[in-house]
Amino acid sequence: HDDGALWLSRDGRIVARFHIDDAPRDDAAAAVAALRAEGLALAVLSGDAWMRVAAVARAIGLQEAVCEARLTPAQKLASV
């Protein structure tokens, strides 16, 4: 299960688990709507975990079907 947590280990032992959360900008949904009005096809290409990517997409008015998660920078570039 990929919950997006970051794990810290020392000498092969887990010593900490971090969950970092960030919210979309306040104007993100309006920006998505404006871009759609221009006829642009939009997608979310992210290196984050699927659950986080889907939550952000929903928050800004995008369908989960246009999301890709756990991508490397090279994979994101290849998708553009």
Side-chain angles (χ1 to χ4, degrees), residues 16-42:
R17 178 179 182 264
F18 301 93
H19 187 84
I20 300 171
D21 193 20
D22 55 348
R25 289 175 39 157
D26 292 339
D27 59 350
V32 166
L35 291 168
R36 271 201 185 128
E38 293 293 323
L40 296 174
L42 305 175

Side-chain angles (χ1 to χ4, degrees), residues 7 11 17-18 23-24 29-30 45-46 53 55 61 63 72 74-76 80:
W7 297 83
D11 299 325
R17 178 179 182 264
F18 301 93
L45 307 174
S46 177
V53 174
Q63 300 288 327
T72 66
Q75 290 170 317
K76 293 177 206 176
V80 179

Side-chain angles (χ1 to χ4, degrees), residues 32-70:
V32 166
L35 291 168
R36 271 201 185 128
E38 293 293 323
L40 296 174
L42 305 175
V44 177
L45 307 174
S46 177
D48 291 335
W50 169 253
M51 290 174 54
R52 182 69 196 135
V53 174
V56 169
R58 285 190 304 271
I60 63 174
L62 289 173
Q63 300 288 327
E64 293 176 13
V66 298
C67 298
E68 293 188 52
R70 290 291 184 213

